[in-house]
Amino acid sequence: MATEGETWTTVQNHDGVLSFDDDVDHPYGDEDEAALEAEVNGNWTPQEKALHEARLKAKAKRRVRKSSSRSESLSESLSGELADGDSHSPKGKVPVPNDRKSRTGKGRGLPKKGGAGGKGVWGAAGMVYEVEEPDVKDPNYDEIAQGDTVYATVVPELDERELEKTVNPIVQEYFEHGDTKEVQMLLKELNLGHHKYEFSSLAVSLSLEGKASHRELTSRLLRDLVGKELSESDMARAFDKILKELPDLMLDTPEAPQMLGQFIARAIADHALPLAFLDRYKGKVDCDHARAALDRAAVLLSMKREMVRLDNVWGVGGGLRPVKHLVKEMNFLLKEYLVSGEVKEAERCLRDLEVPHFHHELVYEAVVMVLESKGDTAVKMMCKLLQAFWKIGLITVDQMNRGFQRVYDELPEINLDVPHAHSIMESFTDLCYQESVITKQLRDSCPSRSV
């Protein structure tokens, strides 16, 4: 029997005899021991007693292992690491994970490093970091990128389809404002690449379908682009392409060969094309239309050899012309009409001037020419011309009234040179009113001799 304070354990040997071992500690309490003694002293066989004791031990081990496995393993690992790594750790203290207090036991309970340490912390307030030199052993180290890096916006190069869609609106808008600097600014924002020369060919092709003023603006644009956005070689390539496409251009513009010849002559005079451009084609042109264009350019250059530029090759139209020049053109138009009597030709010449806002000058010059003429022929012809322009809408009511009113205001001065100016004016206004050229109010406002 075991004495007080000792623990006995029954063990079954190979012969089936139970023995007791006092070196093994029981993991169960006093109540379990009492129940075990009662069962051992009972009528159980030795095998049943040994089996029952083994079950109790296994049950106790499972209960102990389940409750203390986690805490015990964590405390053992922390105590082992701290015991080896930190010799200043106070005895009897087990460090707690994520503890920010000093482990020496001498601190005031404040955070370590004044709050400047730890995960996700940038450092103490006012701390200045020095520039770190790149590490050559760093896997992300780039030897080329360590120099001065320049960042720039990369614009993709335009292909042929996108080039035409982009350039056409620029050229059409230029025909409205006529500012070459704005076109230069827009071209700088585009990446034309090796298709740069096609801008000139597209501009010339569009101007061939437009007015004379558009062709004049295009010649000025080519002159201003050379040396800045385009070179002489780019311009030569552009005209080479147009010469090859000339048969197709003639489908829409039958006068394309003559116009292209004028473009070439103007470009050479403006130093946009090299002087040797025409020499390259001598005896090497098979297309009759291209030969006609080159011959036209050669003739113009030979006629204007003493001139620096062929400024009047397009007959500068629109508001770009001086007022005096427009007045001379309208005078010449009216004189030619009095000789030929062709209203259609006079209409074409007036439209080519491209100054619809200045048509009142034509009315003024026509009335003055009637006052200065002799006989009734000029009176009837001018009335017929003004009537034709009135019916087709080439001259509006305001322009007609303004032209006549200008003559009314200057009639006293005109009367000094033409003594019968008042009577001629009255008869002419009556005729125009009968032909529905002017209104009754305008006729009645005609000054008489007595005024």
PDB file of all heavy atoms in Angstrom, residues 86 88-90 93 99-112:
ATOM      1  N   ASP A  86      18.357  38.735 -25.055  1.00  0.00           N
ATOM      2  CA  ASP A  86      18.358  39.917 -24.197  1.00  0.00           C
ATOM      3  C   ASP A  86      18.806  39.513 -22.809  1.00  0.00           C
ATOM      4  O   ASP A  86      18.052  38.905 -22.047  1.00  0.00           O
ATOM      5  CB  ASP A  86      16.961  40.543 -24.177  1.00  0.00           C
ATOM      6  CG  ASP A  86      16.979  41.890 -23.474  1.00  0.00           C
ATOM      7  OD1 ASP A  86      18.080  42.337 -23.090  1.00  0.00           O
ATOM      8  OD2 ASP A  86      15.879  42.482 -23.335  1.00  0.00           O
ATOM      9  N   HIS A  88      19.574  41.598 -20.492  1.00  0.00           N
ATOM     10  CA  HIS A  88      19.142  42.615 -19.530  1.00  0.00           C
ATOM     11  C   HIS A  88      17.699  42.441 -19.111  1.00  0.00           C
ATOM     12  O   HIS A  88      17.177  43.278 -18.393  1.00  0.00           O
ATOM     13  CB  HIS A  88      19.309  44.005 -20.151  1.00  0.00           C
ATOM     14  CG  HIS A  88      20.728  44.306 -20.544  1.00  0.00           C
ATOM     15  ND1 HIS A  88      21.730  44.559 -19.625  1.00  0.00           N
ATOM     16  CD2 HIS A  88      21.306  44.363 -21.782  1.00  0.00           C
ATOM     17  CE1 HIS A  88      22.872  44.781 -20.269  1.00  0.00           C
ATOM     18  NE2 HIS A  88      22.639  44.655 -21.584  1.00  0.00           N
ATOM     19  N   SER A  89      17.004  41.418 -19.622  1.00  0.00           N
ATOM     20  CA  SER A  89      15.603  41.237 -19.263  1.00  0.00           C
ATOM     21  C   SER A  89      15.493  40.923 -17.792  1.00  0.00           C
ATOM     22  O   SER A  89      16.226  40.067 -17.269  1.00  0.00           O
ATOM     23  CB  SER A  89      14.997  40.125 -20.100  1.00  0.00           C
ATOM     24  OG  SER A  89      13.668  39.919 -19.734  1.00  0.00           O
ATOM     25  N   PRO A  90      14.615  41.574 -17.082  1.00  0.00           N
ATOM     26  CA  PRO A  90      14.478  41.311 -15.637  1.00  0.00           C
ATOM     27  C   PRO A  90      14.016  39.899 -15.368  1.00  0.00           C
ATOM     28  O   PRO A  90      13.243  39.333 -16.125  1.00  0.00           O
ATOM     29  CB  PRO A  90      13.456  42.356 -15.201  1.00  0.00           C
ATOM     30  CG  PRO A  90      12.695  42.687 -16.429  1.00  0.00           C
ATOM     31  CD  PRO A  90      13.660  42.575 -17.560  1.00  0.00           C
ATOM     32  N   LYS A  93      10.140  37.925 -15.308  1.00  0.00           N
ATOM     33  CA  LYS A  93       9.186  38.587 -16.182  1.00  0.00           C
ATOM     34  C   LYS A  93       9.183  37.921 -17.539  1.00  0.00           C
ATOM     35  O   LYS A  93      10.234  37.664 -18.101  1.00  0.00           O
ATOM     36  CB  LYS A  93       9.511  40.065 -16.349  1.00  0.00           C
ATOM     37  CG  LYS A  93       9.222  40.896 -15.114  1.00  0.00           C
ATOM     38  CD  LYS A  93       9.401  42.369 -15.421  1.00  0.00           C
ATOM     39  CE  LYS A  93       9.038  43.200 -14.204  1.00  0.00           C
ATOM     40  NZ  LYS A  93       9.168  44.647 -14.487  1.00  0.00           N
ATOM     41  N   ASP A  99       4.708  44.516 -26.911  1.00  0.00           N
ATOM     42  CA  ASP A  99       4.823  45.414 -25.769  1.00  0.00           C
ATOM     43  C   ASP A  99       5.781  46.541 -26.136  1.00  0.00           C
ATOM     44  O   ASP A  99       6.932  46.298 -26.519  1.00  0.00           O
ATOM     45  CB  ASP A  99       5.350  44.650 -24.562  1.00  0.00           C
ATOM     46  CG  ASP A  99       5.398  45.532 -23.325  1.00  0.00           C
ATOM     47  OD1 ASP A  99       4.781  46.627 -23.384  1.00  0.00           O
ATOM     48  OD2 ASP A  99       6.043  45.137 -22.340  1.00  0.00           O
ATOM     49  N   ARG A 100       5.373  47.794 -26.023  1.00  0.00           N
ATOM     50  CA  ARG A 100       6.179  48.942 -26.403  1.00  0.00           C
ATOM     51  C   ARG A 100       6.922  49.546 -25.220  1.00  0.00           C
ATOM     52  O   ARG A 100       7.561  50.590 -25.372  1.00  0.00           O
ATOM     53  CB  ARG A 100       5.307  50.010 -27.061  1.00  0.00           C
ATOM     54  CG  ARG A 100       4.622  49.541 -28.330  1.00  0.00           C
ATOM     55  CD  ARG A 100       3.765  50.619 -28.928  1.00  0.00           C
ATOM     56  NE  ARG A 100       4.541  51.755 -29.364  1.00  0.00           N
ATOM     57  CZ  ARG A 100       5.166  51.832 -30.546  1.00  0.00           C
ATOM     58  NH1 ARG A 100       5.109  50.804 -31.378  1.00  0.00           N
ATOM     59  NH2 ARG A 100       5.867  52.908 -30.879  1.00  0.00           N
ATOM     60  N   LYS A 101       6.848  48.929 -24.061  1.00  0.00           N
ATOM     61  CA  LYS A 101       7.547  49.427 -22.886  1.00  0.00           C
ATOM     62  C   LYS A 101       8.992  48.918 -22.875  1.00  0.00           C
ATOM     63  O   LYS A 101       9.323  47.950 -23.539  1.00  0.00           O
ATOM     64  CB  LYS A 101       6.828  48.992 -21.613  1.00  0.00           C
ATOM     65  CG  LYS A 101       5.436  49.586 -21.480  1.00  0.00           C
ATOM     66  CD  LYS A 101       4.793  49.163 -20.175  1.00  0.00           C
ATOM     67  CE  LYS A 101       3.395  49.749 -20.050  1.00  0.00           C
ATOM     68  NZ  LYS A 101       2.738  49.352 -18.787  1.00  0.00           N
ATOM     69  N   SER A 102       9.825  49.613 -22.149  1.00  0.00           N
ATOM     70  CA  SER A 102      11.226  49.227 -22.062  1.00  0.00           C
ATOM     71  C   SER A 102      11.361  47.876 -21.374  1.00  0.00           C
ATOM     72  O   SER A 102      10.682  47.583 -20.391  1.00  0.00           O
ATOM     73  CB  SER A 102      12.006  50.291 -21.288  1.00  0.00           C
ATOM     74  OG  SER A 102      13.329  49.884 -21.096  1.00  0.00           O
ATOM     75  N   ARG A 103      12.254  47.048 -21.925  1.00  0.00           N
ATOM     76  CA  ARG A 103      12.454  45.703 -21.369  1.00  0.00           C
ATOM     77  C   ARG A 103      13.519  45.684 -20.276  1.00  0.00           C
ATOM     78  O   ARG A 103      13.787  44.639 -19.687  1.00  0.00           O
ATOM     79  CB  ARG A 103      12.842  44.755 -22.492  1.00  0.00           C
ATOM     80  CG  ARG A 103      11.726  44.600 -23.522  1.00  0.00           C
ATOM     81  CD  ARG A 103      12.132  43.699 -24.633  1.00  0.00           C
ATOM     82  NE  ARG A 103      11.084  43.581 -25.638  1.00  0.00           N
ATOM     83  CZ  ARG A 103      11.183  42.885 -26.767  1.00  0.00           C
ATOM     84  NH1 ARG A 103      12.298  42.236 -27.029  1.00  0.00           N
ATOM     85  NH2 ARG A 103      10.187  42.831 -27.607  1.00  0.00           N
ATOM     86  N   THR A 104      14.207  46.777 -20.039  1.00  0.00           N
ATOM     87  CA  THR A 104      15.231  46.815 -18.997  1.00  0.00           C
ATOM     88  C   THR A 104      14.639  47.017 -17.619  1.00  0.00           C
ATOM     89  O   THR A 104      15.339  46.848 -16.611  1.00  0.00           O
ATOM     90  CB  THR A 104      16.209  47.957 -19.284  1.00  0.00           C
ATOM     91  OG1 THR A 104      15.509  49.204 -19.274  1.00  0.00           O
ATOM     92  CG2 THR A 104      16.872  47.771 -20.637  1.00  0.00           C
ATOM     93  N   GLY A 105      13.386  47.407 -17.580  1.00  0.00           N
ATOM     94  CA  GLY A 105      12.754  47.648 -16.290  1.00  0.00           C
ATOM     95  C   GLY A 105      13.088  48.994 -15.690  1.00  0.00           C
ATOM     96  O   GLY A 105      12.697  49.280 -14.568  1.00  0.00           O
ATOM     97  N   LYS A 106      13.821  49.802 -16.407  1.00  0.00           N
ATOM     98  CA  LYS A 106      14.238  51.102 -15.889  1.00  0.00           C
ATOM     99  C   LYS A 106      13.507  52.268 -16.558  1.00  0.00           C
ATOM    100  O   LYS A 106      13.770  53.408 -16.242  1.00  0.00           O
ATOM    101  CB  LYS A 106      15.743  51.282 -16.087  1.00  0.00           C
ATOM    102  CG  LYS A 106      16.558  50.232 -15.362  1.00  0.00           C
ATOM    103  CD  LYS A 106      18.044  50.444 -15.614  1.00  0.00           C
ATOM    104  CE  LYS A 106      18.867  49.358 -14.927  1.00  0.00           C
ATOM    105  NZ  LYS A 106      20.315  49.542 -15.147  1.00  0.00           N
ATOM    106  N   GLY A 107      12.681  51.983 -17.548  1.00  0.00           N
ATOM    107  CA  GLY A 107      12.020  53.055 -18.274  1.00  0.00           C
ATOM    108  C   GLY A 107      10.837  53.631 -17.533  1.00  0.00           C
ATOM    109  O   GLY A 107      10.480  53.178 -16.445  1.00  0.00           O
ATOM    110  N   ARG A 108      10.234  54.671 -18.182  1.00  0.00           N
ATOM    111  CA  ARG A 108       9.068  55.339 -17.590  1.00  0.00           C
ATOM    112  C   ARG A 108       7.768  54.859 -18.201  1.00  0.00           C
ATOM    113  O   ARG A 108       6.721  55.477 -18.014  1.00  0.00           O
ATOM    114  CB  ARG A 108       9.187  56.840 -17.778  1.00  0.00           C
ATOM    115  CG  ARG A 108      10.354  57.463 -17.026  1.00  0.00           C
ATOM    116  CD  ARG A 108      10.432  58.944 -17.302  1.00  0.00           C
ATOM    117  NE  ARG A 108      10.681  59.187 -18.709  1.00  0.00           N
ATOM    118  CZ  ARG A 108      10.548  60.386 -19.279  1.00  0.00           C
ATOM    119  NH1 ARG A 108      10.128  61.411 -18.546  1.00  0.00           N
ATOM    120  NH2 ARG A 108      10.808  60.542 -20.553  1.00  0.00           N
ATOM    121  N   GLY A 109       7.829  53.799 -18.962  1.00  0.00           N
ATOM    122  CA  GLY A 109       6.613  53.303 -19.590  1.00  0.00           C
ATOM    123  C   GLY A 109       6.261  54.010 -20.882  1.00  0.00           C
ATOM    124  O   GLY A 109       5.144  53.866 -21.379  1.00  0.00           O
ATOM    125  N   LEU A 110       7.209  54.839 -21.453  1.00  0.00           N
ATOM    126  CA  LEU A 110       6.944  55.563 -22.689  1.00  0.00           C
ATOM    127  C   LEU A 110       7.236  54.675 -23.892  1.00  0.00           C
ATOM    128  O   LEU A 110       7.967  53.691 -23.786  1.00  0.00           O
ATOM    129  CB  LEU A 110       7.808  56.831 -22.756  1.00  0.00           C
ATOM    130  CG  LEU A 110       7.583  57.835 -21.619  1.00  0.00           C
ATOM    131  CD1 LEU A 110       8.559  58.993 -21.753  1.00  0.00           C
ATOM    132  CD2 LEU A 110       6.149  58.328 -21.644  1.00  0.00           C
ATOM    133  N   PRO A 111       6.685  55.012 -25.078  1.00  0.00           N
ATOM    134  CA  PRO A 111       6.978  54.222 -26.283  1.00  0.00           C
ATOM    135  C   PRO A 111       8.463  54.256 -26.612  1.00  0.00           C
ATOM    136  O   PRO A 111       9.174  55.213 -26.318  1.00  0.00           O
ATOM    137  CB  PRO A 111       6.147  54.912 -27.369  1.00  0.00           C
ATOM    138  CG  PRO A 111       5.101  55.661 -26.632  1.00  0.00           C
ATOM    139  CD  PRO A 111       5.690  56.057 -25.335  1.00  0.00           C
ATOM    140  N   LYS A 112       8.926  53.193 -27.227  1.00  0.00           N
ATOM    141  CA  LYS A 112      10.332  53.093 -27.604  1.00  0.00           C
ATOM    142  C   LYS A 112      10.680  54.125 -28.681  1.00  0.00           C
ATOM    143  O   LYS A 112       9.869  54.420 -29.558  1.00  0.00           O
ATOM    144  CB  LYS A 112      10.631  51.692 -28.129  1.00  0.00           C
ATOM    145  CG  LYS A 112      10.488  50.620 -27.069  1.00  0.00           C
ATOM    146  CD  LYS A 112      10.826  49.267 -27.611  1.00  0.00           C
ATOM    147  CE  LYS A 112       9.842  48.845 -28.682  1.00  0.00           C
ATOM    148  NZ  LYS A 112      10.147  47.495 -29.188  1.00  0.00           N
TER     149      LYS A 112
END
